Amino acid sequence: RTLWDKGLVYEGFKVMPYSWAMETTVSNFETRMDNAYRERQDPSATVRFELVDVADLPGDDGLPVDVLAWTTTPWTLPSNLALAVGPELPYRVVLLDGRRVVVGAGAAARYERELGEAEVLGEVEGSALVGRSYRPLFPYFADHAESFRVLAGDFVTTEDGTGTVHLAPGFGEDDQRVCEAVGIALVCPVDEAGKFTFEVSDYEGLQVFDANRPILRRLKEEGKLLREESYVHNYPHCWRTDEPLIYKAISSWFV
């Protein structure tokens, strides 16, 4: 009560480490305990997001433009609401199979297998992409206000992935921060047990890690998947159950 009277206790809605096996949040301190982080193999995906606003980009204006984004959590893609680029990073535009493809210049060599001898049409700074709209990858939140546009992200690099980050603000701390700053309200269609809710109807009741494969299969069938591969990384686990954690927006009390 004393803490409350001093204004030091508040209820917040923020993305936190979450144990779906225990159905409880996990503090950042708990994720730093011995053996909390360990190697885990997950599917990673490089996905095509088709821009709606393509004026003034290198190449023939009649050709569609795909921005490539990489993720190690494909299960968050149905909740995508924005993309983030580094405003001062250079981005290369190449011609691939009759479409223009945008990839961070510093990441292009990583995709030599897919891009091959693709013609380089030019380069733009990330700031030239900021503000442009793109088509939703999935239909579930297609009418969500202020969503599906390219934002500037101070955390974006080309050290991994493509130089573009997919943002699902219900499942990422940076995602939540950047989207909230421009008025994009988060969506969190995953319940306390880590299963999709009715909002993501095609995968309702499916545990998120089990949803990775069907989601990737669908993207491949729709021509939206450029690359899929296994990715070994250090990943936080619940110290009580030994199950992998997820990051999820939760209503909690903080001091």
Side-chain angles (χ1 to χ4, degrees):
R1 173 59 185 268
T2 302
L3 290 170
W4 174 265
D5 289 341
K6 291 181 177 180
L8 299 177
V9 175
Y10 66 97
E11 187 176 15
F13 195 68
K14 65 178 292 188
V15 174
M16 298 181 65
Y18 182 81
S19 173
W20 50 270
M22 289 288 292
E23 299 191 14
T24 183
T25 55
V26 176
S27 71
N28 287 323
F29 173 78
E30 288 173 289
T31 65
R32 299 187 183 100
M33 294 174 66
D34 291 345
N35 300 320
Y37 272 82
R38 65 184 67 107
E39 280 194 350
R40 173 180 167 83
Q41 184 171 314
D42 282 308
S44 70
T46 302
V47 182
R48 297 171 177 258
F49 289 84
E50 184 181 353
L51 288 181
V52 176
D53 302 331
V54 299
D56 303 321
L57 289 176
D60 184 347
D61 281 348
L63 294 179
V65 179
D66 296 330
V67 176
L68 300 181
W70 177 72
T71 180
T72 59
T73 54
W75 63 267
T76 63
L77 288 170
S79 305
N80 168 268
L81 296 181
L83 298 174
V85 297
E88 297 179 2
L89 293 177
Y91 288 80
R92 188 170 298 171
V93 183
V94 303
L95 182 62
L96 180 67
D97 300 329
R99 302 176 71 90
R100 289 177 285 173
V101 173
V102 180
V103 61
R110 200 172 293 126
Y111 289 90
E112 184 176 2
R113 184 182 67 200
E114 289 79 15
L115 301 181
E117 300 298 320
E119 179 186 356
V120 177
L121 301 175
E123 286 192 1
V124 296
E125 281 198 342
S127 57
L129 300 171
V130 173
R132 295 177 188 261
S133 300
Y134 64 91
R135 301 187 193 283
L137 203 60
F138 289 89
Y140 311 116
F141 303 103
D143 297 327
H144 198 67
E146 305 296 329
S147 301
F148 308 111
R149 48 197 172 112
V150 181
L151 309 178
D154 56 7
F155 54 90
V156 180
T157 73
T158 54
E159 291 182 9
D160 291 306
T162 66
T164 300
V165 177
H166 116 80
L167 302 179
F171 304 107
E173 294 178 85
D174 284 327
D175 309 41
Q176 181 186 13
R177 173 175 61 84
V178 173
C179 287
E180 278 188 350
V182 296
I184 299 176
L186 62 78
V187 297
C188 190
V190 171
D191 67 15
E192 291 81 1
K195 298 179 181 180
F196 279 111
T197 64
F198 71 94
E199 294 168 289
V200 180
S201 54
D202 296 304
Y203 309 107
E204 182 179 358
L206 199 58
Q207 207 279 336
V208 293
F209 290 111
D210 294 333
N212 278 329
R213 292 299 175 191
I215 286 171
L216 291 175
R217 186 164 54 246
R218 174 174 175 173
L219 292 176
K220 184 176 182 179
E221 291 170 354
E222 295 177 355
K224 299 173 182 176
L225 184 65
L226 182 75
R227 177 197 285 181
E228 175 192 351
E229 59 188 347
S230 293
Y231 181 71
V232 178
H233 55 156
N234 281 326
Y235 193 85
H237 288 67
C238 173
W239 63 272
R240 297 181 180 93
T241 65
D242 209 34
E243 295 287 356
L245 300 173
I246 62 174
Y247 284 80
K248 181 178 184 295
I250 297 290
S251 177
S252 296
W253 290 89
F254 300 90
V255 177

